[in-house]
Amino acid sequence: MDSTRVDTSLGINLNINPSHKIDETPKREFQGHDCAGERKASMNQEPDPLIEELHRIKTENRKLTEMLTFVCENYTALQSHLMELMQKNSENEITKLGKRKAGEEYNYGNVSGINGDIDSSCSDGGSCKRPREIKTNISRVYVRTSPSDMMSLIVRDGYQWRKYGQKVTRDNPSPRAYYKCSFAPSCPVKKKVQRSVEDPSVLVAIYEGDHNHPQTTQAVVSVGVNPGSVPSSNSIISSTSSPTATLDFIKPGLCSNAKMASPEIDSPKLQQFLVEQMASSLSRNPSFTAAIAAAYYGKDFRT
DNA sequence: CGTCTTTGACCCGCGC
DNA sequence: GCGCGGGTCAAAGACG
Ligand SMILES: [Zn+2]
């Protein structure tokens, strides 16, 4: 039950309640052990208030768990966004010469959707054929695998995929696998999975498009508590202090779809508020970006 | 028997 | 035009 392991050691000021009620966070209930004295005091009386309080604590605990799940979800999404920004910065600095060499080291990131596809209209007058429109949003996810499935090239993300190709690429000794969603053609999502050049225990999954259906296997959006149903437990590399925080796979693009899966978490407006707040808090901290980069490379230089 | 994986062939864009 | 590299197709096989 260490659902508190994803602690916000980054100093993120998470105002879950917009009305600054953060002071009455039920830390006391969360600790659980220190309630002994309190319970002993109330043991002399009838057990009704005790049960009542227990119930309340249970509810609160569940609420907190949900909130934690949600926060981690947003955290992952934000991280991907940060990767995107960092990649853009790197590309600007590196310019374009030696783009193949640059691609080896700086191709992490997340080109999520809104790529400025300006000038999609045919300015040329006549044939406006654009066979490869990039309207699908592409997201890149790094997944650490256990050394046992070193050659499986499988990322368990809750969806069902059908492999339709595998190629050996130029810059990477490990092959790249091509997957389509099993719901194709109704669901046009594709993904590419390849091992990282730097760290062969890290899989790089590139997703294109959004699913228009729920996940086929549940028990994926679990935080901290791993139900053990996933044998090849993949874990996203996402933390600054510990090299691998086992946030099970959450795709940033799914946040819009996942709101039907978690309808009780208030409103999407609050979600956006949370994301924005986290973004501002994180982007204000310059060492965070460096730490993220370090975490993505599996190294651990703490300033 | 249906579904998924494997794997060589094929296609297409790009640089020369 | 040609070669190269990345992406996809589809026949054959594996698997349940
Ligand atoms: Zn799908």
Side-chain angles (χ1 to χ4, degrees):
Chain A
M1 272 291 188
D2 48 357
S3 58
T4 61
R5 102 213 261 183
V6 196
D7 66 337
T8 59
S9 60
L10 308 161
I12 310 170
N13 186 14
L14 290 170
N15 271 336
I16 302 298
N17 288 328
S19 56
H20 294 77
K21 288 170 69 176
I22 217 166
D23 282 342
E24 66 154 0
T25 45
K27 244 179 205 168
R28 194 184 40 165
E29 288 89 348
F30 226 105
Q31 292 171 352
H33 312 298
D34 297 337
C35 296
E38 185 180 346
R39 186 193 313 169
K40 184 178 163 191
S42 63
M43 198 120 85
N44 296 334
Q45 305 168 358
E46 59 271 19
D48 278 358
L50 189 64
I51 291 181
E52 202 170 322
E53 170 139 6
L54 192 65
H55 185 66
R56 190 176 64 84
I57 288 174
K58 244 184 213 169
T59 307
E60 196 121 25
N61 198 8
R62 206 189 43 191
K63 217 177 222 169
L64 284 175
T65 305
E66 286 168 0
M67 268 161 40
L68 188 63
T69 304
F70 168 66
V71 164
C72 289
E73 200 170 319
N74 283 331
Y75 177 53
T76 310
L78 182 66
Q79 215 164 271
S80 300
H81 190 70
L82 185 61
M83 284 299 111
E84 172 191 357
L85 293 181
M86 288 172 61
Q87 183 192 20
K88 277 178 184 166
N89 275 351
S90 301
E91 280 176 356
N92 283 345
E93 287 172 5
I94 283 177
T95 67
K96 272 192 194 168
L97 52 92
K99 88 178 167 187
R100 187 164 290 157
K101 199 165 69 178
E104 276 187 3
E105 299 186 357
Y106 291 100
N107 68 350
Y108 58 87
N110 176 348
V111 193
S112 68
I114 328 102
N115 37 18
D117 204 353
I118 330 158
D119 186 23
S120 64
S121 64
C122 40
S123 63
D124 213 85
S127 70
C128 59
K129 56 175 170 185
R130 184 177 275 261
R132 48 191 195 129
E133 288 208 354
I134 325 176
K135 55 172 36 172
T136 63
N137 47 355
I138 301 172
S139 63
R140 190 173 300 220
V141 175
Y142 285 63
V143 180
R144 164 155 296 178
T145 61
S146 61
S148 58
D149 43 37
M150 200 59 177
M151 50 188 191
S152 65
L153 217 60
I154 288 176
V155 176
R156 289 244 162 257
D157 50 10
Y159 291 98
Q160 204 168 358
W161 302 92
R162 194 186 75 249
K163 188 175 181 178
Y164 68 93
Q166 176 167 328
K167 293 285 280 189
V168 285
T169 56
R170 185 184 159 81
D171 301 325
N172 200 327
S174 69
R176 171 183 299 170
Y178 299 89
Y179 295 92
K180 277 180 188 167
C181 182
S182 290
F183 284 59
S186 77
C187 178
V189 183
K190 287 183 282 190
K191 78 167 177 181
K192 295 176 274 192
V193 179
Q194 190 173 27
R195 297 211 169 269
S196 171
V197 190
E198 304 289 334
D199 192 353
S201 68
V202 172
L203 286 176
V204 184
I206 301 171
Y207 291 82
E208 301 181 15
D210 285 328
H211 292 276
N212 48 19
H213 56 87
Q215 295 172 323
T216 56
T217 62
Q218 64 264 58
V220 176
V221 193
S222 67
V223 177
V225 182
N226 200 346
S229 63
V230 184
S232 69
S233 63
N234 303 322
S235 64
I236 282 190
I237 300 172
S238 64
S239 178
T240 57
S241 53
S242 64
T244 61
T246 63
L247 302 185
D248 289 60
F249 182 87
I250 290 159
K251 181 174 174 294
L254 276 174
C255 282
S256 54
N257 284 344
K259 71 185 170 194
M260 60 182 178
S262 62
E264 34 189 323
I265 303 186
D266 295 330
S267 63
K269 216 170 189 178
L270 179 57
Q271 291 187 14
Q272 186 158 5
F273 169 77
L274 269 175
V275 171
E276 282 173 4
Q277 182 145 14
M278 290 173 75
S280 64
S281 295
L282 294 180
S283 59
R284 222 177 284 141
N285 186 359
S287 70
F288 176 78
T289 57
I292 285 277
Y296 265 71
Y297 283 122
K299 295 163 189 170
D300 184 24
F301 67 95
R302 40 208 110 158
T303 63

